[in-house]
Amino acid sequence: MIPFSKVGEVLHELQDLTKFIIIGDTIVDITLKRKGTESDVDLFALDISVLVDDDKIRNFAYERGWDYGRTPIDTPRLLAPIDDDQLQIDLYENIQDFFVPKEILESAINIKIGGYEFKSIRLEDYILLKANAFREEDEDELKTLLYLLGEGKISIDKEYLKEHIQAFEENSESIKERLSSIGIKI
């Protein structure tokens, strides 16, 4: 597990490259008040294009001694060494089938990671993104969230879900059906 104090330092350094919003599993770790993450950190880049500015991103990584790679959808992946581990940071923007609605980005909240504050989408919006993608691993993560919801370890605002599901336009009905199929009724 990589402690959030170290994650915060790396993300703070990354702010020299671009503003960003946290969009991945880190949101769940923070919600559950965990001390760190065993996952990667998924970021939606705001000031740069993960495709057009590839050289800039690669140079940023190499100047810091970080490794550079690619995600499964061919966007930049940074690997920052932390003690005996590596923090994987995946950078995204709206490309191909990867889509984060503007309303979700505009509703980002401030969260604290280590000694720093960062923008993050809300847990409800994370749920909607998972239901939109709905790969096998997304379905598994949604079922885990449903379990945590049932245990009272997390809570969600169903009215907020109802409002933001509309941001997915033509996919909104299938997202609603997917959530319903795993037990989250909207």
Side-chain angles (χ1 to χ4, degrees):
M1 178 177 287
I2 299 175
F4 277 130
S5 59
K6 301 282 188 182
V7 173
E9 290 171 12
V10 171
L11 293 180
H12 179 67
E13 195 167 344
L14 195 57
Q15 288 177 319
D16 291 340
L17 175 67
T18 183
K19 290 181 184 171
F20 54 80
I21 297 175
I22 298 167
I23 59 170
D25 301 342
T26 309
I27 296 158
V28 177
D29 292 333
I30 296 289
T31 302
L32 292 171
K33 297 180 179 11
R34 293 184 175 141
K35 301 285 185 217
T37 186
E38 294 187 29
S39 181
D40 58 358
V41 179
D42 296 330
L43 304 176
F44 193 94
L46 298 174
D47 297 336
I48 58 172
S49 166
V50 299
L51 300 176
V52 176
D53 297 315
D54 188 62
D55 288 341
K56 183 178 181 180
I57 297 166
R58 182 188 319 266
N59 290 337
F60 179 87
Y62 289 158
E63 286 168 6
R64 283 152 184 79
W66 300 357
D67 287 332
Y68 177 89
R70 308 298 288 174
T71 68
I73 65 166
D74 206 31
T75 61
R77 170 173 287 163
L78 308 175
L79 299 159
I82 296 179
D83 302 324
D84 292 336
D85 214 339
Q86 280 191 321
L87 178 64
Q88 178 179 306
I89 303 157
D90 293 344
L91 299 173
Y92 296 99
E93 65 181 273
N94 285 333
I95 55 169
Q96 301 162 359
D97 290 339
F98 189 90
F99 176 66
V100 180
K102 182 178 71 163
E103 294 87 343
I104 287 178
L105 297 171
E106 290 173 348
S107 299
I109 58 173
N110 289 325
I111 61 168
K112 192 165 187 171
I113 299 179
Y116 304 97
E117 273 201 8
F118 303 98
K119 290 280 188 192
S120 168
I121 63 170
R122 291 177 47 151
L123 180 62
E124 290 86 352
D125 289 323
Y126 171 78
I127 290 169
L128 292 174
L129 290 176
K130 288 291 175 186
N132 187 43
F134 214 61
R135 300 163 299 183
E136 189 175 332
E137 64 261 28
D138 298 316
E139 186 177 359
D140 291 343
E141 288 175 38
L142 286 168
K143 287 177 180 175
T144 299
L145 290 175
L146 181 64
Y147 172 78
L148 293 170
L149 195 60
E151 292 284 303
K153 293 183 179 174
I154 62 170
S155 62
I156 56 172
D157 181 341
K158 287 192 177 181
E159 286 304 311
Y160 182 92
L161 275 176
K162 216 180 275 186
E163 287 174 27
H164 272 220
I165 204 167
Q166 300 310 316
F168 290 89
E169 298 168 359
E170 68 273 355
N171 287 354
S172 61
E173 280 307 310
S174 59
I175 291 171
K176 197 179 293 186
E177 289 168 14
R178 291 168 182 167
L179 288 173
S180 181
S181 76
I182 61 156
I184 300 176
K185 307 278 189 241
I186 300 177

